[in-house]
Amino acid sequence: MRYYIYLSTAKLDMLYEQIPPGLARRLAVEAKVDLKVLSLAVQSPRGDTSTYDRLDLVEAYLEREFDVSWMSEPSAWFRGDLGLRIVGDGEPNSPTLMTGRDGDTVVALIGSAHHLIGHRAAPDLHRVGYSGLPSMFRLLQEVPPEWESQFNGRWRGRMPSRESVARDVLHFAEALTVPPVYCEFLARRLLSGTVTREDGRELTVVVGTPVYVAMSDGEHEGGEA
């Protein structure tokens, strides 16, 4: 069982609806997913499956059809396991950012706070999505005032460019002071690049948007949050 912190039902539904029905049935059998609807006929209504059944099928589909890599060498889809510092868990209709470091890899995951477990938006609230690079650019330019207390100094943002965003993400991640939560995740890569620090150390910075983030079983030895 996973203890989820974040689960994007929007991404999940979008991806699930693209799985060919026949393949979905085969994946259900291979993954031993108890899908009463998918064990039926191909024309069975997809909406009858549970959220977690759909997640099992989407993961199985991505693993089968795509190159799901590790975060240190991210392909279009990548996994990771590290301590994440999480900011933006207040208002449900706001962005959230989860960032951490393991060795020479820095990961920043951007998403919408209403996908955080326990932070669901009211049904009548117009939900805003924050899972793209434009949202990351806006955060780097001007951090919300309510986030300021979670940094080791006042954030002084500036208009980012594609060339500088990796460095800005690193600056952002290193300024956070909230304690990390050790997590595993599956995400879609938005951008990756390298940054050479003043001490000469070269870091890989990976920006992605998560399908899910869940607490891992234990602290990842050797990692840096």
Side-chain angles (χ1 to χ4, degrees):
M1 285 188 174
R2 289 180 181 141
Y3 193 93
Y4 290 96
I5 293 175
Y6 180 101
L7 179 58
S8 174
T9 53
K11 293 188 192 73
L12 188 56
D13 291 344
M14 173 187 66
L15 295 168
Y16 177 65
E17 291 297 329
Q18 296 178 67
I19 302 176
L23 178 55
R25 277 184 31 181
R26 293 198 300 275
L27 290 172
V29 173
E30 292 172 9
K32 298 181 180 178
V33 175
D34 183 17
L35 296 177
K36 296 180 176 59
V37 224
L38 285 179
S39 66
L40 336 158
V42 171
Q43 59 267 33
S44 296
R46 287 171 174 256
D48 290 345
T49 56
S50 75
T51 297
Y52 300 106
D53 286 337
R54 293 198 299 275
L55 178 57
D56 285 342
L57 281 179
V58 165
E59 281 197 85
Y61 179 72
L62 292 175
E63 291 285 1
R64 176 180 176 134
E65 302 294 328
F66 296 87
D67 175 24
V68 180
S69 66
W70 194 245
M71 59 187 180
S72 55
E73 295 182 358
S75 56
W77 294 96
F78 65 95
R79 295 186 180 277
D81 185 352
L82 78 167
L84 292 176
R85 300 183 191 275
I86 303 172
V87 289
D89 60 351
E91 293 297 322
N93 211 12
S94 62
T96 185
L97 187 73
M98 295 164 269
T99 182
R101 176 178 162 188
D102 185 16
D104 292 335
T105 301
V106 177
V107 175
L109 303 175
I110 178 85
S112 303
H114 59 256
H115 291 311
L116 289 165
I117 304 301
H119 292 76
R120 301 301 188 194
D124 58 347
L125 180 66
H126 175 66
R127 299 182 182 185
V128 180
Y130 294 96
S131 295
L133 283 176
S135 296
M136 174 65 79
F137 292 165
R138 287 194 295 273
L139 280 177
L140 294 174
Q141 181 182 0
E142 186 175 353
V143 167
E146 62 270 22
W147 291 23
E148 289 284 357
S149 63
Q150 300 176 81
F151 289 88
N152 61 3
R154 182 168 179 80
W155 176 263
R156 298 185 182 278
R158 60 186 182 279
M159 180 67 75
S161 66
R162 191 172 184 87
E163 291 72 28
S164 69
V165 68
R167 185 174 298 280
D168 288 345
V169 167
L170 178 61
H171 178 198
F172 190 107
E174 291 183 333
L176 282 172
T177 58
V178 291
V181 179
Y182 282 83
C183 299
E184 58 176 302
F185 56 84
L186 172 64
R188 178 64 163 87
R189 187 192 66 199
L190 298 175
L191 179 148
S192 62
T194 58
V195 175
T196 302
R197 298 178 46 161
E198 292 181 359
D199 60 5
R201 187 172 183 177
E202 189 174 83
L203 303 179
T204 298
V205 177
V206 183
V207 179
T209 183
V211 175
Y212 75 81
V213 177
M215 293 181 68
S216 61
D217 291 338
E219 295 189 1
H220 193 60
E221 293 186 5
E224 300 175 58

